[in-house]
Amino acid sequence: MSDRLFIFDTTLRDGEQVPGCQLNSIEKIEVARELEGLGVDVIEAGFPVSSPGDFNSVVEIAKAVTWPVICALTRAVEKDIDVAAEALKYAKRGRIHTGIGTSDYHIRHKFNSNPDEILQRAIACVKYAKRYVEDVEFYAEDAGRTDNEYLARVIEAVIKAGATVVNIPDTTGYCLPDEYGAKIKYLMENVTGIHKAIISTHCHNDLGMATANTIQGVLNGARQVEVTINGIGERAGNTSLEEVAMIFRSHKEAGIETNINSQRIYDMSRMVSRLMNMPVQPNKAIVGRNAFAHSSGIHQDGVLKNRESYEIIDPKDVGIDDSAIVLTARSGRAALKHRLQVLGVNLEQDKLDKAYEEFLKLADRKKDINDDDVLMLVGKDRTAMHRIKLEYLQVTSGVGVKSVASICLNIAGERFEAAASGNGPVDAAIKAIKSIIHRTMTIQEFLIQAIDKGSDDMGKVHMQVAYDGNIYYGFAANTDIIAASAEAFIDAINKFIQ
Ligand code: KIV
Ligand code: ZN
């Protein structure tokens, strides 16, 4: 029998405290809906007393989602609790998350107080919150550095006062995994009435131990984890949701189950990264660009023979299409053959050997080899299969004149002409294309690179185009960078227009 672990997501509260990553209410609703689809149990939607914007976000999120509990943070201050209760009035299931610092650092320096007074304030804030909602979570801020005996007294008292969940934050990310696990065990064994409440972990990542500490907390009795998407949060961040969910999915012997629909993890991660303008580090576990990418020949060969030789998670389980076999100078023949097969090209052994020799020469010059490079190596041109082709492009541009582009596209044999002006020659060309292809598409990323050096060099353009909620990649190379830009845009469009 498995034990249920509740996932409390605080991306929109602790996660949103990252400088420069603030979201507006509409974006927060978008994230909250996606979190609901992901299957989180609790959404911490904000700290309502902190600003009218936060208050409003909690109200709107409470209206927008149905089944997760909506939680609002407060200090152990009556005014905070009044405002949180007001913000939660539309929540189908609302929770007030209130608490106070319990470590000596907080008691003496932050509050200029003493342990008995803090204990009374803890009891009072829970009782006050109970006037509004049944579900009250108490946090003992800096519990990680709080003496276990005193912590147990506080936790026992707040449970008696009605707390349904008791949060044991390692606010400064200081604890070692064994130490944090032992703290939870101590509470399980020494707090009378502990079974009337759920113990929650809330671990920060200052020493890179947030996930390890959270896991130890769960293995010792906690049944709620406070986490964020991509592990974002104050300073070095919080425990990352995707890591905890996939750890318990991979280690069934732990007997812990969550409600997370793991196949939605990758899209969720991208959404948060995009809306918060916060790139995910490439080597981030589970969701980093390289999490399922293999670049050395030995690993590639192993993965192609049996994925599990070098992967403990099937990328499809987290919503990633497939493992990436990254072609570099360290790749072997097997990887090149595989990539060609994926692209629909099957070569006889002697042709493959020849292509591999050329590939190695190119890979020595270039950091990574993309599909177009590979097709070029074997004399195939993907654009030949394109439905939309560029017939001609003429652009006027210069200093003191407006850029104008005239274009002709051949779409499945029929010719379409258009002209447009723009902020510059590329803008004019893109606008002219858009005036023929009537779709709502936006360029998300646009990169121009020279292949070698010199003004007669080829310009390579990589583009990311967003259309209908998906991202499509376009690529082109041309000695004329305006033409390369238009061709890359058309290349991306060809991927969604059949
Ligand atoms: O890190 C922390 O202690 C917190 C509390 C407010 C729950 O975020
Ligand atoms: Zn925190």
Side-chain angles (χ1 to χ4, degrees):
M1 248 266 293
S2 290
D3 255 17
R4 177 79 152 76
L5 176 66
F6 296 100
I7 302 290
F8 174 116
D9 181 275
T10 184
T11 304
L12 295 173
R13 199 278 296 170
D14 217 328
E16 220 239 347
Q17 288 172 212
V18 177
C21 291
Q22 277 63 41
L23 301 177
N24 60 39
S25 287
I26 294 170
E27 292 166 330
K28 285 186 188 174
I29 291 168
E30 214 182 310
V31 172
R33 288 210 170 110
E34 194 69 21
L35 287 170
E36 181 171 31
L38 182 67
V40 307
D41 300 286
V42 186
I43 295 176
E44 187 163 48
F47 181 12
V49 84
S50 67
S51 72
D54 238 46
F55 177 90
N56 194 40
S57 299
V58 176
V59 172
E60 295 307 324
I61 290 169
K63 287 185 195 161
V65 305
T66 310
W67 77 263
V69 170
I70 300 301
C71 181
L73 184 78
T74 81
R75 295 166 297 181
V77 171
E78 290 189 356
K79 171 86 189 329
D80 285 26
I81 297 171
D82 294 336
V83 175
E86 174 68 18
L88 286 172
K89 75 174 179 226
Y90 294 101
K92 286 96 200 158
R93 293 190 294 151
R95 176 184 296 177
I96 291 178
H97 189 191
T98 187
I100 195 160
T102 52
S103 68
D104 266 0
Y105 298 94
H106 284 233
I107 295 175
R108 316 260 174 230
H109 306 297
K110 195 165 129 183
F111 300 115
N112 191 20
S113 183
N114 61 67
D116 284 336
E117 207 173 276
I118 293 297
L119 176 66
Q120 292 315 315
R121 283 187 64 183
I123 297 169
C125 71
V126 170
K127 285 193 171 157
Y128 194 75
K130 279 299 252 198
R131 290 162 49 163
Y132 290 112
V133 287
E134 178 42 40
D135 192 2
V136 174
E137 174 168 340
F138 173 81
Y139 64 85
E141 196 178 6
D142 205 14
R145 294 187 300 171
T146 300
D147 165 65
N148 284 351
E149 219 176 294
Y150 175 64
L151 183 63
R153 266 176 66 207
V154 174
I155 296 303
E156 189 165 310
V158 296
I159 293 176
K160 220 160 150 204
T164 46
V165 181
V166 286
N167 177 11
I168 312 299
D170 183 21
T171 305
T172 57
Y174 176 74
C175 285
L176 291 168
D178 281 356
E179 190 185 355
Y180 188 76
K183 194 175 277 289
I184 302 298
K185 186 162 189 266
Y186 183 89
L187 297 176
M188 290 292 287
E189 289 172 354
N190 292 282
V191 170
T192 308
I194 193 70
H195 298 291
K196 293 189 191 144
I198 292 172
I199 299 185
S200 183
T201 65
H202 180 113
C203 299
H204 279 268
N205 203 31
D206 299 66
L207 290 171
M209 294 188 290
T211 300
N213 285 347
T214 298
I215 299 303
Q216 277 304 318
V218 175
L219 296 180
N220 283 284
R223 285 296 174 268
Q224 177 181 281
V225 288
E226 305 197 2
V227 290
T228 60
I229 302 298
N230 301 334
I232 61 167
E234 283 268 357
R235 309 182 307 280
N238 288 61
T239 305
S240 96
L241 182 153
E242 58 278 8
E243 291 173 15
V244 175
M246 292 315 290
I247 285 169
F248 287 118
R249 215 187 126 104
S250 307
H251 286 272
K252 296 265 185 315
E253 73 283 4
I256 297 290
E257 238 171 45
T258 71
N259 186 47
I260 295 299
N261 176 355
S262 68
Q263 290 178 353
R264 295 181 76 148
I265 284 179
Y266 188 68
D267 282 353
M268 181 83 241
S269 158
R270 295 288 119 178
M271 172 190 266
V272 168
S273 162
R274 173 171 54 85
L275 292 176
M276 290 197 166
N277 264 327
M278 202 170 170
V280 176
Q281 75 191 59
N283 58 330
K284 166 83 181 63
I286 319 293
V287 289
R289 176 164 28 94
N290 295 345
F292 298 97
H294 306 273
S295 77
S296 88
I298 297 172
H299 287 211
Q300 291 179 338
D301 188 46
V303 167
L304 290 171
K305 285 178 177 142
N306 180 351
R307 190 188 57 71
E308 286 173 59
S309 329
Y310 287 99
E311 275 179 2
I312 55 162
I313 296 172
D314 184 339
K316 292 192 179 68
D317 284 351
V318 293
I320 295 174
D321 280 351
D322 217 341
S323 325
I325 301 292
V326 184
L327 294 178
T328 68
R330 290 181 305 284
S331 299
R333 260 184 202 68
L336 179 64
K337 184 174 171 191
H338 169 77
R339 178 65 65 86
L340 283 165
Q341 279 169 346
V342 169
L343 294 168
V345 182
N346 286 299
L347 293 186
E348 318 242 306
Q349 193 58 45
D350 57 331
K351 291 216 173 88
L352 178 69
D353 290 344
K354 181 102 197 50
Y356 185 63
E357 263 173 46
E358 294 303 313
F359 161 77
L360 286 181
K361 282 187 211 151
L362 185 64
D364 271 339
R365 279 191 284 126
K366 279 188 81 197
K367 270 205 194 112
D368 68 308
I369 308 281
N370 60 40
D371 290 352
D372 296 273
D373 295 325
V374 170
L375 286 171
M376 246 174 305
L377 276 177
V378 294
K380 304 259 184 235
D381 179 5
R382 196 160 41 156
T383 57
M385 279 118 76
H386 279 175
R387 183 174 153 83
I388 305 173
K389 294 191 182 102
L390 180 61
E391 280 217 349
Y392 72 74
L393 169 68
Q394 188 180 41
V395 187
T396 53
S397 74
V399 179
V401 292
K402 197 155 181 69
S403 299
V404 179
S406 319
I407 204 159
C408 176
L409 299 183
N410 182 320
I411 306 180
E414 215 180 318
R415 299 175 82 241
F416 295 85
E417 289 179 316
S421 60
N423 273 338
V426 173
D427 188 42
I430 299 292
K431 282 193 173 131
I433 296 170
K434 281 183 169 175
S435 72
I436 299 175
I437 315 281
H438 298 284
R439 306 277 172 118
T440 313
M441 30 191 188
T442 44
I443 297 175
Q444 302 267 318
E445 225 175 272
F446 179 19
L447 193 73
I448 304 186
Q449 268 176 316
I451 290 182
D452 280 317
K453 298 182 185 107
S455 58
D456 59 347
D457 188 16
M458 291 268 268
K460 281 185 9 171
V461 175
H462 287 268
M463 220 179 248
Q464 273 185 35
V465 177
Y467 171 68
D468 200 20
N470 293 313
I471 297 286
Y472 298 88
Y473 295 86
F475 166 80
N478 198 308
T479 45
D480 178 333
I481 55 168
I482 318 295
S485 306
E487 283 164 350
F489 190 51
I490 293 168
D491 186 38
I493 297 172
N494 269 301
K495 295 186 177 137
F496 57 81
I497 288 195
Q498 301 310 318

